[in-house]
Amino acid sequence: TDLVMRFLLGKEWVEYFDMVLCGARKPGFLLDPYLPIFQVRPDGSLVNVEMGGEKHAEAALESSRVFQGGNWNHLHSMLQLQTGSALLYVGDHMYSDILRSKRTLGWRTLLIVPELDDELAGAAQAEALAEVVDDYRVKRGRIEAACVAKAMERLRLEEEADDAAAAELEAELTRLREEQEELTVEINLAISAHHDAFHPQWGRLFKAGHQNSRWAQQVQEYACLYTSRVTNLAHVAPDVAFHALSDLMPHDRDASERY
């Protein structure tokens, strides 16, 4: 840790932090409240420290800000936290960083997704393809709605024994279904082209077809925030408040978006 941080921030890198925890052994740090914590001396040796209360934590921080091991209880004591929601945890691993800290401790979480830059660039380049897919889906949705309406009308005519009108509607339904099948083929081709614009095998990271991928579902469920790199936080004030977007169910959307 010291070697890497000296390269990144210089010899006095510890001065950038209120405290430093190395060798935390995640996810054990987040799950096991009995893991011991050691203070790292300037010569690199370790000494076991007691964190039984707030005074012990303050005394430990006065002698050195660098620790190894420990568990979440020690961190809460040293930061004087009463609740996990007062802490923002930044990590780049969904399971050992984000999922466990959110589910077990209720920490606020920020997931680092380096691939996000490429995902956004790919979306901008493939915008025209995405519009083609959306247009085809809207057309198919209108045809499907027309099929439902005509099928219901045909049932009414059959009940009234109007065979001639029912046969005419059946022919119209056949034509609409053929058009629907042709559009489905076009949609599949357009989706394939859009998929290949991101990656020929995997497609989009956050999507599986037109639905969120399993990865995206985990991001939504466990990451309060996500971004491509931690340095993006330099563009916002320390006391800024981030607000969640409204969740939408199908019935919340406008009629024009339902297809």
Side-chain angles (χ1 to χ4, degrees):
T1 301
D2 182 59
L3 183 64
V4 173
M5 296 306 293
R6 280 172 180 264
F7 175 77
L8 293 173
L9 299 177
K11 187 166 62 174
E12 304 298 328
W13 65 270
V14 175
E15 299 303 318
Y16 286 92
F17 302 95
D18 294 325
M19 61 169 293
V20 178
L21 263 172
C22 305
R25 292 179 292 176
K26 299 175 299 178
F29 183 92
L30 308 171
L31 302 174
D32 189 348
Y34 301 106
L35 289 176
I37 189 168
F38 300 90
Q39 199 159 46
V40 181
R41 292 171 172 169
D43 61 1
S45 61
L46 304 178
V47 57
N48 186 241
V49 293
E50 179 63 42
M51 290 282 182
E54 188 175 311
K55 291 184 179 180
H56 289 94
E58 290 178 357
L61 283 170
E62 286 177 1
S63 58
S64 174
R65 281 181 279 176
V66 184
F67 301 87
Q68 180 174 310
N71 61 73
W72 61 271
N73 277 318
H74 301 134
L75 181 63
H76 282 206
S77 295
M78 286 188 282
L79 297 179
Q80 299 181 18
L81 298 179
Q82 301 300 319
T83 174
S85 61
L87 184 148
L88 176 64
Y89 181 66
V90 182
D92 61 1
H93 194 281
M94 176 57 73
Y95 179 76
S96 63
D97 287 325
I98 304 303
L99 187 150
R100 282 300 173 191
S101 62
K102 183 71 171 181
R103 179 184 286 178
T104 307
L105 303 174
W107 288 357
R108 299 297 186 184
T109 53
L110 169 59
L111 175 65
I112 304 301
V113 187
E115 300 86 354
L116 186 58
D117 285 340
D118 291 337
E119 188 88 349
L120 293 173
Q125 294 175 0
E127 185 176 1
L129 290 172
E131 290 177 355
V132 169
V133 174
D134 290 341
D135 288 343
Y136 278 144
R137 283 189 177 134
V138 169
K139 290 178 182 177
R140 186 175 64 178
R142 290 171 179 166
I143 291 174
E144 290 172 346
C147 285
V148 170
K150 290 186 181 298
M152 296 300 294
E153 178 66 13
R154 184 191 59 187
L155 288 174
R156 185 186 65 79
L157 292 173
E158 288 175 350
E159 289 178 355
E160 295 176 356
D162 191 343
D163 296 336
E168 185 177 335
L169 265 179
E170 182 62 33
E172 180 66 14
L173 269 172
T174 300
R175 183 189 66 78
L176 286 172
R177 285 167 181 159
E178 290 174 352
E179 189 175 344
Q180 178 183 344
E181 291 176 0
E182 292 173 359
L183 268 176
T184 298
V185 172
E186 294 295 331
I187 288 174
N188 290 337
L189 290 173
I191 289 175
S192 179
H194 187 251
H195 177 282
D196 293 345
F198 290 85
H199 190 281
Q201 277 77 41
W202 308 115
R204 300 174 67 182
L205 177 64
F206 288 85
K207 292 292 182 181
H210 63 279
Q211 296 180 319
N212 286 342
S213 65
R214 177 57 181 157
W215 162 258
Q217 291 172 5
Q218 291 180 328
V219 172
Q220 280 191 313
E221 187 168 357
Y222 297 111
C224 300
L225 302 169
Y226 64 97
T227 186
S228 61
R229 63 196 68 193
V230 70
T231 50
N232 289 338
L233 291 177
H235 300 291
V236 295
D239 59 349
V240 69
F242 294 95
H243 301 283
L245 297 175
S246 297
D247 292 332
L248 294 179
M249 294 187 67
H251 70 275
D252 295 320
R253 303 180 185 277
D254 294 333
S256 61
E257 298 178 344
R258 289 177 185 165
Y259 305 117

